[in-house]
Amino acid sequence: MLPKVDVPIYELELPLSKKKTKYRPFLVKEEKILLMAMESEDENASVLAIKQIISNCCLDDNFDIDSLPLLDLEYMFLQLRARSVGEVVNLQYKCNNKVKDEEGNEKECNHIVPIDVNILDINPEINPNHTNEIKLSDKLGIIMKYPSFKSLELTKDVSEVEALMNVIVDSIDNIYDTENIYYAKDIQKKELVDFVESLTQDQFKKIQNFFDTLPKIKKELKFECGKCGYNEEIEVEGIQNFFV
């Protein structure tokens, strides 16, 4: 029997749930899953690859990947990537600055600018105006929970309107008034949908604001074109941009 290869074990605290978990780096089989997802250029394939890799590498038996906030899992994937492939991601951006050619005609520079990013330096950006408690009136409110992988499953093969409602309903933890707390897990989906549909436009905008201000994986980078000299600060947002 061949000997087993020892791999290092790391511990991580997830930023939203504050749960601590132990994990190992990618092995060759996880790297294969990642490469196949990148080659497909399909967003759903990327999401499934992230889920599969985290499931494989997490060493905690009680780690429920489907119920954890998406941001926690995105953050964990970046940590996994750093410990497995390398801390530095090599990104490339095309310079879209307008320049003039020899004849005086305006055109885009199109120079490719490489930018190195240390993904261990990337921390979730928390919006100071974000809250998971939505006060609909003086007597009525909602406590929200963060979207998870399960939430993404509810957006497949349905209309955009239905997908939005599915995510909203799935993200309700409880509804409260001055006398009671009504937990979403004990309520039929249709009743929750009817409740959301009965809200005024102003009240519904408060729910939308919860999603609009969700913490994000985000990094500000300095972009400087070595050809035309153009420079600016750019924001790289979303784990897909570091999926290399």
Side-chain angles (χ1 to χ4, degrees), residues 8-171:
I9 296 174
Y10 302 98
E11 187 173 65
L12 172 70
E13 182 177 271
L14 301 174
L16 286 185
S17 64
K18 302 302 180 185
K19 292 184 178 180
K20 291 185 178 180
T21 184
K22 292 180 180 179
Y23 65 96
R24 62 163 174 78
F26 297 171
L27 303 180
V28 171
K29 59 183 177 181
E30 283 87 38
E31 185 72 11
K32 183 178 178 182
I33 294 171
L34 182 61
L35 290 173
M36 290 175 65
M38 290 170 62
E39 288 175 1
S40 73
E41 297 184 354
D42 178 62
E43 187 173 344
N44 287 331
S46 298
V47 170
L48 290 174
I50 292 171
K51 181 178 179 180
Q52 183 62 58
I53 290 169
I54 292 175
S55 295
N56 289 0
C57 296
C58 181
L59 302 178
D60 295 332
D61 293 334
N62 60 348
F63 190 80
D64 185 3
I65 189 170
D66 287 316
S67 65
L68 284 174
L70 278 172
L71 183 96
D72 277 355
L73 297 174
E74 290 178 343
Y75 181 75
M76 183 173 180
F77 177 79
L78 286 181
Q79 300 297 309
L80 267 170
R81 197 272 181 204
R83 302 299 187 188
S84 308
V85 182
E87 299 175 8
V88 177
V89 175
N90 308 114
L91 305 179
Q92 291 189 331
Y93 290 91
K94 184 172 70 173
C95 179
N96 295 318
N97 183 39
K98 300 293 184 182
V99 296
K100 291 185 178 180
D101 60 20
E102 295 178 355
E103 298 177 356
N105 298 315
E106 193 174 75
K107 65 174 185 177
E108 289 187 350
C109 173
N110 288 335
H111 182 63
I112 302 300
V113 179
I115 302 177
D116 291 341
V117 182
N118 188 322
I119 53 180
L120 289 181
D121 293 337
I122 300 174
N123 292 305
E125 181 182 271
I126 308 297
N127 190 313
N129 297 318
H130 179 74
T131 176
N132 70 328
E133 181 176 5
I134 301 170
K135 293 184 179 180
L136 301 175
S137 69
D138 292 339
K139 298 180 180 180
L140 183 66
I142 304 176
I143 301 296
M144 303 292 287
K145 59 186 179 182
Y146 293 106
S148 62
F149 268 124
K150 178 186 173 185
S151 303
L152 292 182
E153 295 292 325
L154 299 173
T155 65
K156 292 181 179 179
D157 303 320
V158 296
S159 68
E160 188 174 335
V161 172
E162 189 176 353
L164 174 62
M165 184 60 69
N166 286 345
V167 173
I168 289 173
V169 168
D170 188 64
S171 300

